[in-house]
Amino acid sequence: MSDPMRPRASLRTAVVWEVLKEALDRRVKVTGREALDVLDTGGGSGNFAVPVAALGHRVTVVDPSPNALFALERRAAEAGVAERVHGVQGDVLGLFDVVERGGYDAVLCHGVLEYVEDPAEGVRNAVDALRPEGALSLLAAGLGGAVLSRALAGHFTEARHALSDPAGRWGDGDPVPHRFTAERLIELVGAAGATAGAVHGVRVFADLVPGVLVDTEPGALDALLKLEAAAAELPAFHAVATQLHVLGEKRG
C-alpha cells in the first residue's frame, strides 16, 4: 500500500484516509488533546502512520517485519516526523507483549485480519488496546470483490467456491487465508466490545478499471476517485468491494 497522499495510490487509500482523518479530528475535539496516541497494527512501512503523525499525533507501529520497520524509520525521518513515530516488532495476536492495554485513542488494523489465524482474537486485541470511546479503523479483504474478480477472469468454478467457503477462499492456491462480508466484520467488532459505525466499500471500481485508462485519459483519475467516494457508503456496493472498512468505537 502506498502513501495516501500520492495521487495514483489514492485510488486504494483515499476513502479510508478521509474517514480516518475525520475520526481523529473528532477524537481531538472530544478529548481536548491535539496530539492523540495512535496504534497502527500491521502498519508496515508507515503508509498511514506517517501521514497520521504529520497531523501531529503520536503513532506506534507494530509489525512483524524488521525490514518494514526499517523502512518506516526512514520514511518517518524523510517526512520530518521521526520523533512522533515509534516502531516495534510484533503482531496483533501477541499485541500486549509489546504495547500497553487500553493506552490508545485510536487503533488502525488495516490488512491484518485476513492473514491472522484467529481474526476474532485480532479484533478483540485491537479493541482492548483502546481507551474508552476510542476509535477503531478496521480494513479487511472483502468476499464479494474476490468473487467478482475471479468471475471476470473466467475462473467461474473458483468464484463459486469462494461463495461457499467459510473463509471466503477460492481454492488451495488462494494467497489470502480469510475474506469477510460487511456483516461478519460488524459482528466481530461488536463481539470485541465496540460499536460499529460507518461501513465503506474500498476499491469498488479501481481494481476493475484498466490502469492504462486511468493513467492516459485526461481527468480519468480524478473522476474515478469521485466515483469511488460516492459509491463507498452505499450498501449495495459493499458486496462487490475488494476491501471493506469499518469504523468502530470502543464502548465506555
Side-chain angles (χ1 to χ4, degrees), residues 95-116:
L95 193 58
F96 302 115
D97 293 334
V98 294
V99 302
E100 176 187 1
R101 188 183 297 269
Y104 297 90
D105 300 292
V107 172
L108 283 56
C109 188
H110 295 171
V112 173
L113 290 189
E114 48 265 64
Y115 296 106
V116 300

Side-chain angles (χ1 to χ4, degrees), residues 61-67 69 86-91 94-95 97-99:
V61 176
V62 175
D63 196 277
S65 169
N67 291 337
L69 293 174
H86 173 60
V88 58
Q89 191 171 359
D91 60 58
L95 193 58
D97 293 334
V98 294
V99 302

Side-chain angles (χ1 to χ4, degrees), residues 135-202:
L136 172 68
S137 178
L138 184 63
L139 179 68
L143 170 62
V147 172
L148 184 61
S149 175
R150 300 315 289 174
L152 290 177
H155 304 300
F156 307 122
T157 300
E158 291 178 350
R160 185 165 59 86
H161 186 279
L163 279 174
S164 60
D165 184 72
R169 304 184 77 234
W170 47 256
D172 292 338
D174 192 338
V176 179
H178 304 279
R179 291 190 181 87
F180 306 88
T181 62
E183 291 76 15
R184 177 57 178 155
L185 290 177
I186 291 171
E187 179 183 302
L188 289 173
V189 169
T195 301
V199 178
H200 291 82
V202 179

Side-chain angles (χ1 to χ4, degrees), residues 107-131:
V107 172
L108 283 56
C109 188
H110 295 171
V112 173
L113 290 189
E114 48 265 64
Y115 296 106
V116 300
E117 185 175 346
D118 187 345
E121 183 183 352
V123 179
R124 283 196 302 270
N125 286 352
V127 172
D128 286 349
L130 285 166
R131 293 170 178 149

